[in-house]
Amino acid sequence: MIELAPGLVYFPDFYARAEQEEMLALLRAGVKAAPLFTPRMPRTGKAFSVRMTNFGSLGWVSDRERGYRYDSVHPETSAAWPAIPELVLKAWREASDYAHSPEACLLNFYDADARMGLHQDRDEAALEAPVVSISLGDSCLFRAGSESRSGKTKSFRLNSGDVLVIGGASRLCFHGVDKIYPRTSTLLPDGGRINLTMRRVTRPA
Ligand code: SIN
Ligand code: MN
């Protein structure tokens, strides 16, 4: 493991290829039950370039009218989200030192042209809990900075099977995905990148 900044901890190759394949099968089953949807920016209604779904008791959603929030049901099917697979939870249990379980696992799917602008993850009440990210499929150029949007940033590559913990002094760092590197992984037959981020949303009693 490599501490890239205080609280920003990188675990390269956390998941072996066989585990990545097993996880992909579990995620595909989840996406059948909770199909990918296109989130929209608050107010402007501009579509995100990623498509999303969630696992867990809460899922992160966004639309023009109600903005960023956590919801217990899928915005299009109104069904509860599928449970977070045990293999996904393994990264939370082993890479974070947080005693309680995550409630949400956001799945972002990036095609070759998708990106994620610099932002903070701050819709959670439990800011003492880290965000734990898993990357699958094509590599990306990830950027992380400070708590100020205009602060200095560092860029690094995230590859299939890597885990990144965004916690501690880095919990509110601005971060984003500048670029997908197409055809850098054979995990997804049609290419693209999947990112999972687990979050604790509510403060444990
Ligand atoms: C996110 O910040 O929600 C996604 C990060 C990533 O795709 O690596
Ligand atoms: Mn984020």
PDB file of all heavy atoms in Angstrom, residues 1-11 142 144 154-158 163-165 170:
ATOM      1  N   MET A   1       0.836  -1.200   0.000  1.00  0.00           N
ATOM      2  CA  MET A   1       0.000   0.000   0.000  1.00  0.00           C
ATOM      3  C   MET A   1       0.871   1.250   0.000  1.00  0.00           C
ATOM      4  O   MET A   1       1.970   1.245   0.539  1.00  0.00           O
ATOM      5  CB  MET A   1      -0.928  -0.026   1.211  1.00  0.00           C
ATOM      6  CG  MET A   1      -0.317   0.621   2.418  1.00  0.00           C
ATOM      7  SD  MET A   1      -1.382   0.575   3.853  1.00  0.00           S
ATOM      8  CE  MET A   1      -0.709   1.969   4.698  1.00  0.00           C
ATOM      9  N   ILE A   2       0.363   2.299  -0.616  1.00  0.00           N
ATOM     10  CA  ILE A   2       1.149   3.521  -0.790  1.00  0.00           C
ATOM     11  C   ILE A   2       0.303   4.700  -0.320  1.00  0.00           C
ATOM     12  O   ILE A   2      -0.811   4.897  -0.825  1.00  0.00           O
ATOM     13  CB  ILE A   2       1.517   3.711  -2.278  1.00  0.00           C
ATOM     14  CG1 ILE A   2       2.269   2.481  -2.809  1.00  0.00           C
ATOM     15  CG2 ILE A   2       2.321   4.987  -2.498  1.00  0.00           C
ATOM     16  CD1 ILE A   2       2.271   2.373  -4.320  1.00  0.00           C
ATOM     17  N   GLU A   3       0.800   5.471   0.628  1.00  0.00           N
ATOM     18  CA  GLU A   3       0.056   6.665   1.073  1.00  0.00           C
ATOM     19  C   GLU A   3       0.446   7.828   0.164  1.00  0.00           C
ATOM     20  O   GLU A   3       1.558   8.348   0.222  1.00  0.00           O
ATOM     21  CB  GLU A   3       0.335   6.968   2.545  1.00  0.00           C
ATOM     22  CG  GLU A   3      -0.615   8.022   3.071  1.00  0.00           C
ATOM     23  CD  GLU A   3      -0.791   8.010   4.590  1.00  0.00           C
ATOM     24  OE1 GLU A   3       0.168   7.681   5.298  1.00  0.00           O
ATOM     25  OE2 GLU A   3      -1.903   8.367   5.045  1.00  0.00           O
ATOM     26  N   LEU A   4      -0.477   8.200  -0.718  1.00  0.00           N
ATOM     27  CA  LEU A   4      -0.192   9.232  -1.724  1.00  0.00           C
ATOM     28  C   LEU A   4      -0.250  10.620  -1.110  1.00  0.00           C
ATOM     29  O   LEU A   4       0.395  11.556  -1.592  1.00  0.00           O
ATOM     30  CB  LEU A   4      -1.209   9.123  -2.861  1.00  0.00           C
ATOM     31  CG  LEU A   4      -1.204   7.779  -3.609  1.00  0.00           C
ATOM     32  CD1 LEU A   4      -2.443   7.645  -4.488  1.00  0.00           C
ATOM     33  CD2 LEU A   4       0.066   7.646  -4.449  1.00  0.00           C
ATOM     34  N   ALA A   5      -1.054  10.754  -0.075  1.00  0.00           N
ATOM     35  CA  ALA A   5      -1.204  12.001   0.694  1.00  0.00           C
ATOM     36  C   ALA A   5      -1.804  11.540   2.014  1.00  0.00           C
ATOM     37  O   ALA A   5      -2.332  10.423   2.076  1.00  0.00           O
ATOM     38  CB  ALA A   5      -2.139  12.967  -0.037  1.00  0.00           C
ATOM     39  N   PRO A   6      -1.762  12.359   3.065  1.00  0.00           N
ATOM     40  CA  PRO A   6      -2.357  11.881   4.321  1.00  0.00           C
ATOM     41  C   PRO A   6      -3.820  11.459   4.122  1.00  0.00           C
ATOM     42  O   PRO A   6      -4.627  12.241   3.642  1.00  0.00           O
ATOM     43  CB  PRO A   6      -2.235  13.098   5.248  1.00  0.00           C
ATOM     44  CG  PRO A   6      -1.058  13.860   4.709  1.00  0.00           C
ATOM     45  CD  PRO A   6      -1.122  13.676   3.201  1.00  0.00           C
ATOM     46  N   GLY A   7      -4.120  10.192   4.407  1.00  0.00           N
ATOM     47  CA  GLY A   7      -5.486   9.686   4.263  1.00  0.00           C
ATOM     48  C   GLY A   7      -5.853   9.187   2.874  1.00  0.00           C
ATOM     49  O   GLY A   7      -6.921   8.609   2.690  1.00  0.00           O
ATOM     50  N   LEU A   8      -4.997   9.401   1.911  1.00  0.00           N
ATOM     51  CA  LEU A   8      -5.263   8.942   0.531  1.00  0.00           C
ATOM     52  C   LEU A   8      -4.347   7.744   0.274  1.00  0.00           C
ATOM     53  O   LEU A   8      -3.150   7.909   0.031  1.00  0.00           O
ATOM     54  CB  LEU A   8      -4.975  10.069  -0.462  1.00  0.00           C
ATOM     55  CG  LEU A   8      -5.323   9.791  -1.920  1.00  0.00           C
ATOM     56  CD1 LEU A   8      -6.844   9.668  -2.097  1.00  0.00           C
ATOM     57  CD2 LEU A   8      -4.799  10.916  -2.828  1.00  0.00           C
ATOM     58  N   VAL A   9      -4.926   6.538   0.396  1.00  0.00           N
ATOM     59  CA  VAL A   9      -4.086   5.340   0.436  1.00  0.00           C
ATOM     60  C   VAL A   9      -4.408   4.428  -0.747  1.00  0.00           C
ATOM     61  O   VAL A   9      -5.569   4.054  -0.975  1.00  0.00           O
ATOM     62  CB  VAL A   9      -4.288   4.579   1.770  1.00  0.00           C
ATOM     63  CG1 VAL A   9      -3.269   3.456   1.897  1.00  0.00           C
ATOM     64  CG2 VAL A   9      -4.154   5.533   2.959  1.00  0.00           C
ATOM     65  N   TYR A  10      -3.374   4.078  -1.477  1.00  0.00           N
ATOM     66  CA  TYR A  10      -3.500   3.334  -2.732  1.00  0.00           C
ATOM     67  C   TYR A  10      -3.039   1.893  -2.543  1.00  0.00           C
ATOM     68  O   TYR A  10      -1.947   1.649  -2.030  1.00  0.00           O
ATOM     69  CB  TYR A  10      -2.645   4.054  -3.776  1.00  0.00           C
ATOM     70  CG  TYR A  10      -2.562   3.395  -5.122  1.00  0.00           C
ATOM     71  CD1 TYR A  10      -3.704   2.952  -5.785  1.00  0.00           C
ATOM     72  CD2 TYR A  10      -1.330   3.251  -5.759  1.00  0.00           C
ATOM     73  CE1 TYR A  10      -3.614   2.368  -7.032  1.00  0.00           C
ATOM     74  CE2 TYR A  10      -1.234   2.677  -7.003  1.00  0.00           C
ATOM     75  CZ  TYR A  10      -2.386   2.231  -7.638  1.00  0.00           C
ATOM     76  OH  TYR A  10      -2.290   1.654  -8.880  1.00  0.00           O
ATOM     77  N   PHE A  11      -3.901   0.957  -2.944  1.00  0.00           N
ATOM     78  CA  PHE A  11      -3.582  -0.480  -2.887  1.00  0.00           C
ATOM     79  C   PHE A  11      -3.578  -1.012  -4.320  1.00  0.00           C
ATOM     80  O   PHE A  11      -4.637  -1.437  -4.827  1.00  0.00           O
ATOM     81  CB  PHE A  11      -4.646  -1.237  -2.077  1.00  0.00           C
ATOM     82  CG  PHE A  11      -4.727  -0.860  -0.627  1.00  0.00           C
ATOM     83  CD1 PHE A  11      -5.374   0.300  -0.225  1.00  0.00           C
ATOM     84  CD2 PHE A  11      -4.173  -1.674   0.343  1.00  0.00           C
ATOM     85  CE1 PHE A  11      -5.458   0.645   1.128  1.00  0.00           C
ATOM     86  CE2 PHE A  11      -4.257  -1.343   1.697  1.00  0.00           C
ATOM     87  CZ  PHE A  11      -4.893  -0.175   2.084  1.00  0.00           C
ATOM     88  N   PHE A 142      -6.564   9.510 -12.862  1.00  0.00           N
ATOM     89  CA  PHE A 142      -7.318  10.026 -11.712  1.00  0.00           C
ATOM     90  C   PHE A 142      -6.567  11.238 -11.179  1.00  0.00           C
ATOM     91  O   PHE A 142      -5.344  11.288 -11.203  1.00  0.00           O
ATOM     92  CB  PHE A 142      -7.388   8.919 -10.652  1.00  0.00           C
ATOM     93  CG  PHE A 142      -8.258   9.246  -9.464  1.00  0.00           C
ATOM     94  CD1 PHE A 142      -9.628   8.989  -9.497  1.00  0.00           C
ATOM     95  CD2 PHE A 142      -7.707   9.771  -8.303  1.00  0.00           C
ATOM     96  CE1 PHE A 142     -10.434   9.273  -8.396  1.00  0.00           C
ATOM     97  CE2 PHE A 142      -8.512  10.059  -7.201  1.00  0.00           C
ATOM     98  CZ  PHE A 142      -9.873   9.809  -7.252  1.00  0.00           C
ATOM     99  N   ALA A 144      -6.353  14.013  -7.845  1.00  0.00           N
ATOM    100  CA  ALA A 144      -6.789  14.328  -6.482  1.00  0.00           C
ATOM    101  C   ALA A 144      -6.011  15.537  -5.988  1.00  0.00           C
ATOM    102  O   ALA A 144      -4.813  15.675  -6.271  1.00  0.00           O
ATOM    103  CB  ALA A 144      -6.555  13.141  -5.553  1.00  0.00           C
ATOM    104  N   LYS A 154      -2.572  16.142  -7.815  1.00  0.00           N
ATOM    105  CA  LYS A 154      -1.642  15.103  -8.280  1.00  0.00           C
ATOM    106  C   LYS A 154      -2.440  14.187  -9.188  1.00  0.00           C
ATOM    107  O   LYS A 154      -3.585  13.854  -8.867  1.00  0.00           O
ATOM    108  CB  LYS A 154      -1.174  14.242  -7.112  1.00  0.00           C
ATOM    109  CG  LYS A 154      -0.061  14.798  -6.284  1.00  0.00           C
ATOM    110  CD  LYS A 154       0.379  13.715  -5.288  1.00  0.00           C
ATOM    111  CE  LYS A 154       1.149  14.362  -4.146  1.00  0.00           C
ATOM    112  NZ  LYS A 154       1.202  13.577  -2.943  1.00  0.00           N
ATOM    113  N   SER A 155      -1.844  13.712 -10.283  1.00  0.00           N
ATOM    114  CA  SER A 155      -2.525  12.793 -11.180  1.00  0.00           C
ATOM    115  C   SER A 155      -1.825  11.452 -11.148  1.00  0.00           C
ATOM    116  O   SER A 155      -0.598  11.391 -11.080  1.00  0.00           O
ATOM    117  CB  SER A 155      -2.498  13.328 -12.607  1.00  0.00           C
ATOM    118  OG  SER A 155      -3.265  14.500 -12.678  1.00  0.00           O
ATOM    119  N   PHE A 156      -2.585  10.397 -11.177  1.00  0.00           N
ATOM    120  CA  PHE A 156      -2.011   9.057 -11.245  1.00  0.00           C
ATOM    121  C   PHE A 156      -3.007   8.132 -11.913  1.00  0.00           C
ATOM    122  O   PHE A 156      -4.179   8.443 -12.057  1.00  0.00           O
ATOM    123  CB  PHE A 156      -1.602   8.557  -9.849  1.00  0.00           C
ATOM    124  CG  PHE A 156      -2.658   8.702  -8.790  1.00  0.00           C
ATOM    125  CD1 PHE A 156      -3.482   7.645  -8.476  1.00  0.00           C
ATOM    126  CD2 PHE A 156      -2.841   9.908  -8.124  1.00  0.00           C
ATOM    127  CE1 PHE A 156      -4.459   7.778  -7.511  1.00  0.00           C
ATOM    128  CE2 PHE A 156      -3.822  10.045  -7.145  1.00  0.00           C
ATOM    129  CZ  PHE A 156      -4.635   8.976  -6.849  1.00  0.00           C
ATOM    130  N   ARG A 157      -2.491   6.986 -12.343  1.00  0.00           N
ATOM    131  CA  ARG A 157      -3.313   6.026 -13.058  1.00  0.00           C
ATOM    132  C   ARG A 157      -3.954   5.051 -12.097  1.00  0.00           C
ATOM    133  O   ARG A 157      -3.310   4.608 -11.147  1.00  0.00           O
ATOM    134  CB  ARG A 157      -2.374   5.244 -13.983  1.00  0.00           C
ATOM    135  CG  ARG A 157      -2.764   5.246 -15.423  1.00  0.00           C
ATOM    136  CD  ARG A 157      -1.632   4.602 -16.202  1.00  0.00           C
ATOM    137  NE  ARG A 157      -2.206   3.570 -17.043  1.00  0.00           N
ATOM    138  CZ  ARG A 157      -2.087   3.551 -18.358  1.00  0.00           C
ATOM    139  NH1 ARG A 157      -1.396   4.479 -18.986  1.00  0.00           N
ATOM    140  NH2 ARG A 157      -2.638   2.595 -19.064  1.00  0.00           N
ATOM    141  N   LEU A 158      -5.214   4.720 -12.317  1.00  0.00           N
ATOM    142  CA  LEU A 158      -5.858   3.631 -11.577  1.00  0.00           C
ATOM    143  C   LEU A 158      -6.138   2.519 -12.569  1.00  0.00           C
ATOM    144  O   LEU A 158      -6.700   2.761 -13.647  1.00  0.00           O
ATOM    145  CB  LEU A 158      -7.168   4.102 -10.935  1.00  0.00           C
ATOM    146  CG  LEU A 158      -7.044   5.105  -9.790  1.00  0.00           C
ATOM    147  CD1 LEU A 158      -8.435   5.521  -9.298  1.00  0.00           C
ATOM    148  CD2 LEU A 158      -6.215   4.545  -8.638  1.00  0.00           C
ATOM    149  N   VAL A 163      -7.431  -0.581  -5.542  1.00  0.00           N
ATOM    150  CA  VAL A 163      -8.316   0.010  -4.533  1.00  0.00           C
ATOM    151  C   VAL A 163      -7.694   1.322  -4.051  1.00  0.00           C
ATOM    152  O   VAL A 163      -6.465   1.412  -3.904  1.00  0.00           O
ATOM    153  CB  VAL A 163      -8.527  -0.976  -3.351  1.00  0.00           C
ATOM    154  CG1 VAL A 163      -9.135  -0.295  -2.129  1.00  0.00           C
ATOM    155  CG2 VAL A 163      -9.426  -2.141  -3.802  1.00  0.00           C
ATOM    156  N   LEU A 164      -8.521   2.328  -3.861  1.00  0.00           N
ATOM    157  CA  LEU A 164      -8.057   3.616  -3.345  1.00  0.00           C
ATOM    158  C   LEU A 164      -8.950   4.005  -2.167  1.00  0.00           C
ATOM    159  O   LEU A 164     -10.178   3.990  -2.287  1.00  0.00           O
ATOM    160  CB  LEU A 164      -8.154   4.681  -4.447  1.00  0.00           C
ATOM    161  CG  LEU A 164      -7.674   6.080  -4.070  1.00  0.00           C
ATOM    162  CD1 LEU A 164      -6.153   6.095  -3.864  1.00  0.00           C
ATOM    163  CD2 LEU A 164      -8.055   7.088  -5.150  1.00  0.00           C
ATOM    164  N   VAL A 165      -8.336   4.333  -1.042  1.00  0.00           N
ATOM    165  CA  VAL A 165      -9.089   4.780   0.134  1.00  0.00           C
ATOM    166  C   VAL A 165      -8.934   6.294   0.236  1.00  0.00           C
ATOM    167  O   VAL A 165      -7.813   6.815   0.242  1.00  0.00           O
ATOM    168  CB  VAL A 165      -8.574   4.084   1.418  1.00  0.00           C
ATOM    169  CG1 VAL A 165      -9.328   4.599   2.646  1.00  0.00           C
ATOM    170  CG2 VAL A 165      -8.748   2.565   1.303  1.00  0.00           C
ATOM    171  N   SER A 170      -7.737  13.474   3.827  1.00  0.00           N
ATOM    172  CA  SER A 170      -8.080  13.600   2.396  1.00  0.00           C
ATOM    173  C   SER A 170      -9.557  13.371   2.113  1.00  0.00           C
ATOM    174  O   SER A 170      -9.976  13.410   0.956  1.00  0.00           O
ATOM    175  CB  SER A 170      -7.268  12.601   1.562  1.00  0.00           C
ATOM    176  OG  SER A 170      -5.913  12.988   1.505  1.00  0.00           O
TER     177      SER A 170
END
